[in-house]
Amino acid sequence: TYCIPAFFYGCDLGDQIDSFTISSIGFSHQNTGCSSNAYGDFTSQTISLNAGVNYNFSITHGFSQQNVRIWIDFNNDGTFTDAAPELVATGSSAFVANVDVTNGTISIPSTIASGFYRMRVVDRFEYQPLPCNIDGFGEAHDYTVSIGGTPSCLAPDNLLVSNITSSSATLSWSA
């Protein structure tokens, strides 16, 4: 059984995970607001990821100075604190286009076996969150993650097109 994170002051003042997206796979959990008791059990939603791949994520908040951490319980033992690389992402919010947003990268180790795991996304005001948080302002969401095998051919990312003319264009990407 997993601990239920708690936040002494909750998330009613904007210290929340309002929207969580992983655009490269089309995952978008929008406008969730502040969950009851600052914890959202969204394990009925499955996010499909692959071992050995990095995924850019974005989280919007209702207030500034937010810190985010994401864990995946890769050994399914009910905790997120094992020596294995269960902390897969960290980030801090910035004010971008009139929105407080945290952008970061979820890194899935290539050694992870295919299967279903629990992912915990935690947001906390001013301090680094813990998977079983008990203090401060913030919110936590849990999701189910399906990890597939390491792909043999990865799609490029960071695609850019520039210097477009009637007969040419410059293309760039990250392999």
Side-chain angles (χ1 to χ4, degrees):
T1 59
Y2 289 91
C3 65
I4 303 296
F7 295 87
F8 189 78
Y9 300 106
C11 56
D12 291 330
L13 298 176
D15 304 293
Q16 65 203 25
I17 301 164
D18 191 41
S19 295
F20 175 43
T21 59
I22 306 171
S23 59
S24 64
I25 60 166
F27 176 77
S28 181
H29 194 204
Q30 298 290 314
N31 305 315
T32 60
C34 178
S35 300
S36 176
N37 297 316
Y39 171 70
D41 182 351
F42 301 108
T43 54
S44 62
Q45 296 185 39
T46 300
I47 301 169
S48 297
L49 306 174
N50 286 89
V53 178
N54 294 331
Y55 297 91
N56 293 330
F57 72 89
S58 182
I59 295 175
T60 59
H61 314 277
F63 197 73
S64 62
Q65 299 177 342
Q66 303 300 310
N67 293 295
V68 170
R69 287 187 173 175
I70 301 175
W71 293 266
I72 299 176
D73 184 15
F74 289 125
N75 61 358
N76 286 322
D77 69 349
T79 69
F80 298 97
T81 56
D82 298 309
E86 292 187 335
L87 178 63
V88 296
T90 62
S92 296
S93 68
F95 197 64
V96 178
N98 297 322
V99 177
D100 282 296
V101 63
T102 300
N103 292 312
T105 303
I106 299 170
S107 298
I108 308 298
S110 61
T111 57
I112 301 303
S114 296
F116 291 90
Y117 305 96
R118 182 175 289 219
M119 179 171 74
R120 178 157 293 169
V121 180
V122 184
D123 163 71
R124 186 172 176 194
F125 173 68
E126 288 190 330
Y127 299 96
Q128 291 300 326
L130 302 169
C132 294
N133 204 83
I134 59 169
D135 198 15
F137 293 91
E139 183 180 26
H141 287 184
D142 281 359
Y143 299 91
T144 298
V145 174
S146 173
I147 302 290
T150 304
S152 59
C153 180
L154 298 174
D157 61 2
N158 298 321
L159 301 170
L160 295 173
V161 179
S162 60
N163 302 322
I164 301 170
T165 70
S166 61
S167 61
S168 68
T170 301
L171 305 175
S172 63
W173 63 89
S174 297

